[in-house]
Amino acid sequence: MTSIERNLQGLQARMALACAQAERGVTEVSLLAVSKTFGPDAVRLAQAAGQRSFGENYVQEGVEKILALRESANAETPAIEWHCIGPLQSNKTRLVAAHFDWVQSVDRLKIAERLSEQRPDALPPLQVCLQVNVDGGATKAGVSPAELPALAAAVARLPRLKLRGLMCIPDPVEGFEAQRAVFLQARALFDRLNAEGHALDTLSMGMSDDLEAAIAAGATLVRVGRAVFGGRPARLS
Ligand SMILES: *Cc1c(COP(=O)(O)O)cnc(C)c1O
């Protein structure tokens, strides 16, 4: 067994326990393996171990990996899904629209409009989560909770995007209850949008150190890098 396979099994067990404690079904929460800074071989090992969704922060690096994996795939290789989870600049939207399946870090209408315009017709709509800044921080990425409803309404109207949910990256806090309290704010925003008529099914929150609290608060997708692939050089984390 490779260490990546062992790590994935350990994580599935951790997620299953968190689901049981939250009285949720294990199938309600899936794992996004964050492969930033790790090479195509690490992704292939995870793919061979059954992992199907991968997250990338840096557009250029992600696209290179997507192309490398596509090149080495054959008819038996299971399909994988690529999520862009990093900050998005206007000059990168075309690459993202052409190569990724999902973008979780949309926080401005201008970026969403470019992604919709640039999504190639031959591909299905780009699946989108809005990144929301739940815990304040004026300089942080993410739309503010106050501006979220208007952004969601506008993004939902774009023809080549499919609005699927919300993503958040709260600042690290100590302790399960404090972590859960922040995630519950994201959950409340998610529930409110659905009550207003959206049909969101994805709440992307929780990472290596706080996935239990995120699952307790209703996460449907947790994003984990180091606990799958091992340590990263600090500079790139
Ligand atoms: C890097 C990253 C993760 C994974 O972080 P780890 O600490 O490696 O588990 C999750 N989400 C986002 C947005 C990231 O940039």
Side-chain angles (χ1 to χ4, degrees):
M1 197 189 291
T2 66
S3 65
I4 287 177
E5 194 174 357
R6 205 162 36 238
N7 290 346
L8 283 168
Q9 285 188 2
L11 265 170
Q12 296 295 353
R14 228 180 115 184
M15 290 166 60
L17 184 60
C19 285
Q21 277 165 352
E23 301 186 349
R24 302 182 59 197
V26 279
T27 57
E28 290 177 45
V29 186
S30 44
L31 172 67
L32 182 72
V34 180
S35 45
K36 66 180 177 205
T37 78
F38 297 97
D41 285 340
V43 175
R44 286 190 196 96
L45 286 172
Q47 185 183 25
Q51 182 63 30
R52 298 290 175 260
S53 308
F54 295 89
E56 290 287 335
N57 278 58
Y58 311 105
V59 173
Q60 195 68 45
E61 177 198 335
V63 168
E64 281 167 25
K65 228 172 286 176
I66 291 169
L67 295 177
L69 267 285
R70 204 166 286 158
E71 195 125 300
S72 61
N74 59 42
E76 272 97 69
T77 314
I80 55 181
E81 198 172 70
W82 291 96
H83 295 232
C84 176
I85 60 173
L88 268 181
Q89 287 149 359
S90 297
N91 62 359
K92 294 284 167 53
T93 53
R94 187 174 298 277
L95 272 176
V96 171
H99 296 287
F100 282 86
D101 304 295
W102 284 69
V103 184
Q104 297 195 8
S105 41
V106 172
D107 63 359
R108 283 174 288 156
L109 183 56
K110 174 154 177 273
I111 294 288
E113 286 171 341
R114 289 176 66 91
L115 289 168
S116 183
E117 278 160 23
Q118 294 168 346
R119 181 66 167 174
D121 289 332
L123 297 177
L126 189 59
Q127 310 296 302
V128 165
C129 289
L130 302 179
Q131 182 174 350
V132 56
N133 180 359
V134 278
D135 55 350
T139 60
K140 261 178 74 161
V143 62
S144 69
E147 290 168 301
L148 175 65
L151 180 62
V155 169
R157 284 194 290 268
L158 294 173
R160 299 291 293 139
L161 303 186
K162 170 92 179 128
L163 181 59
R164 295 291 296 271
L166 302 180
M167 184 270 263
C168 67
I169 317 174
D171 287 339
V173 289
E174 280 295 320
F176 179 88
E177 283 307 330
Q179 292 167 354
R180 193 172 69 118
V182 179
F183 289 133
L184 280 172
Q185 295 176 37
R187 168 68 185 276
L189 295 169
F190 178 82
D191 287 346
R192 194 176 317 154
L193 289 174
N194 277 336
E196 286 166 2
H198 291 281
L200 308 182
D201 61 7
T202 303
L203 185 52
S204 170
M205 56 188 192
M207 319 205 309
S208 300
D209 297 328
D210 55 14
L211 66 89
E212 282 81 6
I215 288 173
T220 67
L221 188 65
V222 296
R223 308 179 308 268
V224 180
R226 289 164 300 154
V228 175
F229 296 106
R232 270 193 302 276
R235 182 173 58 86
L236 291 169
S237 64

